Structures are given as structure tokens and as C-alpha cells.
Amino acid sequence: MQSSQIKDTAKLLETVQLQEKQIQEFERLNTILGNIFSTMNVDETIQRITQGAMELCNADQASISLIGSPKRNEALTLIREGEASDEKLDSYLNKLLVGWVSRNNQALLSQDLNETFGEDNVLPRHRDITSVMAVPLVQHEKMIGVINLITQKTGKLFQENHLQLMKLLVPQCAQFIANARLHETLFEETIRLKKQIRDKYEFQGIIGRSPKMQAVFSLLESIIPTDVRALIQGESGTGKERIARAIHYSGPHKDAAFVAVDCGALPANLLESELFGYMKGAFTGANRDHKGLFEEADGGTLFLDEIGNMPPEIQVKFLRAIQEGEIRPLGSSRTKKVDVRIIAATNEDLQEQVKTGEFRQDLYYRLNVVNIPLPPLRERKEDIAILANHFLEQAKTRYKKRIGGFNPEAIAHLENYTWPGNIRELENTIERAVVLCKSQELSKTDFPFLETPLDFDDQLFQPRPWEEAIFELKQRYLAKVLAHTGGIKKDAAEILNIQPAYLSRLLKNLEIKTEL
């Protein structure tokens, strides 16, 4: 009876020891998986999987051979630290193992290479290998690679429990590799898109051969490599934001954010919270912290369009922010340091606004370190044909139209127009003509909506009171601009460089009816 109890106790002890060993193995497996999971780099993921497999199975060498990867045709082999650097798990043996796994569609555990592969297929340098294990990496029922392991010491052999542990490890590893590949693909795509954006707005991409634009380019060459603040001045539609983007994406801050804000589009309280951000509870409706545009642009460029419309109370805070290089969000008692390049733009005469007290003189000088004057399109007629052909190519591609180009009469017609909406108006005009064109060439008849605004008949100049003549002049001019924009008041306001609300008052006073 006692002998039976001793046997039962011994058996129980053996079971407990086996369970403890299994628990230890699962803990090691969990640690290895956590280590692999902590990286999203493909090469590092593969290295950590290989290292983990060696530790889990007490292997001397391990490798991963990926299948169908154009970038990684060779296996990565790791050799246990402190061992001889003679790599036995070479390209030949890896291919031998991968081939066996692929043909048999299962894992391999062998303690005799000659028996498994045939003596003629085993090289002399591989005959001291005591055991091998090759486990397929499978994802969505497709093999994406094989993990190979070897031992080289007598009495040190892979056992069935090692194979079972590897079968627990490899499904997770296959997913880790797939995730890392996806992450790298997305990262590469992000880099490609950022490069595409840079190419789109790079300095060389700005079109212009006229002397005035060449002078602008010469100025840009000097300021782009620096952090200098710049003030871009030009009429609506002359491409002020495009110049700002060219400065940013070709300059030292090109890898950081370009953030733009229209100072005339927001009321004072909203502009302040957008620029500087706010803390939760700063005002009614502030139910969460909000990062301001200064913080969004930290390390990059903040572009302020229509800076002349910035309310005086915001001008004070804005001046302090660019002087001190720090901001304080609404509702916060702490300041935050920011490193931002400032580029401002305006279609107003800021010097005149300084004289009238509408714009702070100290802020004007802070912003106007370098002044970039952009000429209106009517002053750079040499560029009209180049720009028109550029916009034609874009529109042809977008709308899949086969149009050879412009006839000479059409180009002359475009060059004789005054373009109150500048480049933006020219681009819209070409796009509309391409959409409506029925022939293989654009001619003057494709631009019936383009009339010189002052091309009125003699009836306007009949002798009559000044007030009546001015009333009709305004009335007919606005009517022609609206006809050009298809009745869209927002576009007409941009061409006229006035606020939409003011345009609505003018139309009412001039008794002009519109549908849009």
C-alpha cells in the first residue's frame, strides 16, 4: 500500500513539475510576443521573432525566409551569442528546408538530415547539425515564410514540445510581419504624398517669365533658405497662398506643418481661440481642450491671409506671440513656447491702415521684414499665354477632352482682357471654356463671357447728370461681373475684392436682381 502511495505521489510530483515547466514556457512565449509586438519595423520585427524562437527552443541558430517579398530574398540568420560565428544555416540549407515545408505543407522536426533529405543532398559542412526544425508562417491560409532553427551539440535536440511552442508562436508572428509590412507601406506612401505636395508647390513650379515675376523669383531665392518673416502683398487671385506654400515646402521647415488661416473669415472671438487655442471651460461650449493654430504649426509655418482684417484687440496678442515666441491658450494661466515661421498676406494697403490707426505700426514692422509684391495679371501679360496653356493641360486631363490648344485670336483675346480676378479668374475661365468646347481648338468664340468691363456702348456717354451716369456705370459693371461668374455672388465678390455682404448691399441699391 505504501509502495502504491509512493508511486502515486511520484506521479503527481512529475505532473506538477511538468505543469510548472509548461507555465514557464508559456510565460516565456508571452514575453517574446510582447517584445515582438512593440515594434512596427519589418526588419526589426523579423530579428525579434528570430531571436525569440532561438530562446524559446534553445536553438543555436535561427533564420526567417520570407516568400514573395521582392525586398527580402535572403534569410536573416542569427547565431547564439558566444558561439562560433560559423553560419551553418546558410542560403543552401534555408532553401532546402523551405522547399521541404512547401512541398509537404507542414512543419518539419528532424534529428537526421541524411534521412530526411538524402545523403547526396546534405553538404559536408551541415553533417554536424544534430537537429533541425522548420515551421511555416501562414496568414489567411497562405504561406508567407518559414522559420528555420538548428542545434549543433550532441545531446541537444529539438523535442515535440518545442515544435508545439513554435506552432503557438508562428500565427502571431505572421500577423506581426503583415502588420509591420502594412505600416511600412503606409509610411512610404505618406512620404510619397508629402513629396508630391512639395513638388506641387516648389518654387520652380510657380509659372512666370515676365520681368516682374522674375524679380519675385529672385527675391524668393534669397528668403526661402531662411526663417525671415515675409509679407506678401497683391490683389485677390494673384497667388499669395501659393507663394507662401512655395516658401514653406522649399525651406527649412518643409517637413513640418503648413497651417493657413483667413483673418477676414472669422470674428474676433473665434479668431483668437483658433490662433491660440483654449482650455476646457474657458467659455460656454468649450467642453474640451483645443489646440490652436500656433501649436498646430509648431516647427512649421503659419500663414495668415488678409492680415489687414485682423481685429485690433487680436493684433496686440498676435504681436506678443511672435515677439516672445510663446502663446497662452484662452482659460489657461500658463504660456507655451512655439517655434513658428510667420508669413502674412494682404490685398490692402497696410501702410495706409497704419496711418489711419486700423493696423498697429509695431506689428506692421514685425511682419514686413521682407515685402513680396505680387503683380496683378494685367501687369504681366507675357505670362497669360503660358498660364493659359498650363491650365488648359490640367483641365483637359480632368475632363478627358481632346483639345489641341488656342488659336492666335483666342490668345490675343485673353491677353487684352484686364483680369480683375487675376490668376484665379484665368484658371476658372479656361476650365469653363474646356468644359463647353465642342471643337478641337479653343477660339475667341469659346470665351463669350469674357468682355472688357469698360467696353460699353456710346449710350453711356450721352450728356446727363453725373449721379445718373455713375449709377448706370456701376449697374452695368456689376451686371457684367455677375454674368461672368454665372450669377454666383461669392465669386463676384472675390473678383471685386469686396466682402459678400457689401456686394449684396450694392446690388440692392443698384436694383440688380440675382438668383444666386
Side-chain angles (χ1 to χ4, degrees):
M1 194 72 174
Q2 288 182 348
S3 175
S4 175
Q5 287 179 340
I6 291 172
K7 286 181 180 179
D8 290 343
T9 302
K11 189 174 183 180
L12 178 62
L13 182 60
E14 185 180 347
T15 302
V16 170
Q17 290 174 339
L18 179 61
Q19 289 176 341
E20 287 180 348
K21 183 180 179 182
Q22 288 177 335
I23 290 171
Q24 290 173 354
E25 288 175 340
F26 282 124
E27 286 177 347
R28 287 167 60 201
L29 179 63
N30 188 55
T31 301
I32 289 167
L33 287 171
N35 184 47
I36 299 168
F37 182 72
S38 63
T39 181
M40 291 301 289
N41 175 272
V42 174
D43 288 329
E44 193 171 348
T45 297
I46 292 170
Q47 186 164 8
R48 291 188 185 189
I49 292 172
T50 312
Q51 186 68 47
M54 286 177 63
E55 293 175 7
L56 196 62
C57 301
N58 197 26
D60 293 315
Q61 293 182 23
S63 73
I64 290 182
S65 295
L66 294 181
I67 297 171
S69 174
K71 293 183 180 178
R72 298 176 178 87
N73 294 322
E74 297 299 322
L76 168 68
T77 299
L78 291 185
I79 299 173
R80 186 172 289 279
E81 187 178 354
E83 300 290 339
S85 60
D86 184 22
E87 185 181 317
K88 295 295 177 71
L89 199 48
D90 54 17
S91 177
Y92 177 82
L93 183 55
N94 272 303
K95 289 178 181 177
L96 200 64
L97 295 171
V98 170
W100 191 97
V101 171
S102 299
R103 286 192 305 274
N104 293 277
N105 197 29
Q106 65 180 33
L108 169 67
L109 175 59
S110 172
Q111 295 170 358
D112 189 334
L113 292 182
N114 290 337
E115 182 180 337
T116 303
F117 298 108
E119 191 172 348
D120 292 341
N121 293 319
V122 178
L123 300 180
R125 65 188 310 270
H126 296 139
R127 286 175 185 155
D128 61 346
I129 294 174
T130 55
S131 63
V132 299
M133 188 160 47
V135 187
L137 287 161
V138 179
Q139 187 192 30
H140 304 311
E141 300 182 356
K142 180 181 179 182
M143 191 168 76
I144 66 169
V146 179
I147 300 181
N148 300 318
L149 301 100
I150 65 171
T151 60
Q152 294 177 262
K153 295 178 182 176
T154 305
K156 183 181 176 183
L157 304 173
F158 294 129
Q159 304 297 333
E160 185 64 29
N161 70 302
H162 293 129
L163 182 58
Q164 295 308 315
L165 285 171
M166 286 300 297
K167 286 183 177 180
L168 291 172
L169 176 68
V170 292
Q172 309 299 323
C173 292
Q175 188 60 52
F176 290 151
I177 291 173
N179 291 345
R181 278 175 166 173
L182 177 61
H183 181 269
E184 282 197 357
T185 300
L186 292 174
F187 181 75
E188 289 169 1
E189 178 66 4
T190 300
I191 296 297
R192 186 189 70 78
L193 289 174
K194 286 187 77 172
K195 183 180 183 300
Q196 190 178 63
I197 290 172
R198 287 181 203 160
D199 291 344
K200 181 179 179 182
Y201 293 112
E202 67 180 355
F203 164 58
Q204 290 79 5
I206 302 171
I207 298 171
R209 66 180 180 186
S210 62
K212 288 192 176 183
M213 284 307 296
Q214 289 301 312
V216 171
F217 294 161
S218 178
L219 186 58
L220 290 178
E221 284 180 345
S222 299
I223 70 171
I224 279 175
T226 73
D227 286 323
V228 68
R229 287 187 291 275
L231 177 63
I232 306 170
Q233 290 190 282
E235 295 178 6
S236 179
T238 50
K240 296 186 290 296
E241 183 170 342
R242 190 177 182 86
I243 292 291
R245 287 182 180 273
I247 294 171
H248 170 77
Y249 285 110
S250 299
H253 297 275
K254 61 187 177 184
D255 293 321
F258 176 91
V259 179
V261 59
D262 186 345
C263 297
L266 298 171
N269 59 334
L270 280 180
L271 181 59
E272 182 179 6
S273 62
E274 280 300 302
L275 283 173
F276 306 112
Y278 55 80
M279 307 300 291
K280 181 179 179 180
F283 50 82
T284 303
N287 49 21
R288 61 179 179 83
D289 292 351
H290 175 72
K291 186 184 290 187
L293 298 181
F294 263 101
E295 279 192 86
E296 293 283 352
D298 191 20
T301 300
L302 179 59
F303 172 63
L304 298 108
D305 200 8
E306 305 308 338
I307 189 73
N309 292 325
M310 180 179 282
E313 61 270 29
I314 308 300
Q315 292 179 30
V316 179
K317 295 184 178 182
F318 183 71
L319 175 62
R320 176 177 172 78
I322 60 177
Q323 280 180 326
E324 306 297 332
E326 61 184 29
I327 58 166
R328 185 167 65 186
L330 297 180
S332 174
S333 58
R334 296 183 177 180
T335 58
K336 295 182 178 181
K337 285 288 184 183
V338 288
D339 175 23
V340 177
R341 181 176 194 170
I342 301 292
I343 300 176
T346 181
N347 59 13
E348 307 281 352
D349 185 346
L350 280 192
Q351 283 187 309
E352 187 61 33
Q353 286 186 299
V354 168
K355 291 178 184 177
T356 60
E358 297 175 73
F359 200 83
R360 292 180 64 95
Q361 185 179 54
D362 46 6
L363 178 57
Y364 173 72
Y365 289 129
R366 284 282 177 182
L367 296 174
N368 194 33
V369 179
V370 175
N371 188 276
I372 305 174
L374 290 187
L377 194 53
R378 62 183 174 274
E379 294 180 9
R380 42 181 293 210
K381 290 187 179 291
E382 305 97 316
D383 296 331
I384 290 176
I386 303 174
L387 287 164
N389 278 287
H390 173 70
F391 294 138
L392 171 61
E393 291 304 314
Q394 288 184 332
K396 281 165 53 179
T397 302
R398 185 181 305 126
Y399 298 109
K400 297 179 173 58
K401 300 289 288 272
R402 292 188 176 183
I403 300 174
F406 301 88
N407 66 23
E409 188 182 20
I411 289 294
H413 187 50
L414 295 176
E415 289 178 337
N416 289 331
Y417 183 63
T418 56
W419 300 107
N422 293 293
I423 298 172
R424 187 186 296 120
E425 184 185 3
L426 174 61
E427 183 176 9
N428 293 341
T429 296
I430 301 302
E431 184 175 4
R432 183 182 304 183
V434 168
V435 170
L436 300 176
C437 182
K438 304 296 183 184
S439 63
Q440 301 297 310
E441 187 179 55
L442 288 172
S443 63
K444 182 178 179 180
T445 57
D446 290 302
F447 302 94
F449 41 84
L450 264 195
E451 296 181 38
T452 304
L454 296 180
D455 185 18
F456 301 120
D457 54 44
D458 292 338
Q459 185 180 359
L460 178 66
F461 300 101
Q462 295 299 319
R464 57 187 151 160
W466 172 254
E467 304 275 347
E468 184 181 329
I470 292 299
F471 182 90
E472 186 177 349
L473 175 64
K474 290 180 179 179
Q475 193 178 54
R476 296 176 75 174
Y477 179 75
L478 285 179
K480 285 182 178 291
V481 172
L482 282 167
H484 172 67
T485 64
I488 300 174
K489 289 191 284 186
K490 182 175 179 288
D491 292 350
E494 285 188 4
I495 290 174
L496 295 166
N497 193 23
I498 60 177
Q499 294 295 327
Y502 179 53
L503 175 60
S504 295
R505 291 199 299 273
L506 280 176
L507 295 174
K508 183 179 179 180
N509 294 338
L510 294 169
E511 301 173 358
I512 299 173
K513 294 181 179 180
T514 60
E515 296 180 3
L516 300 174

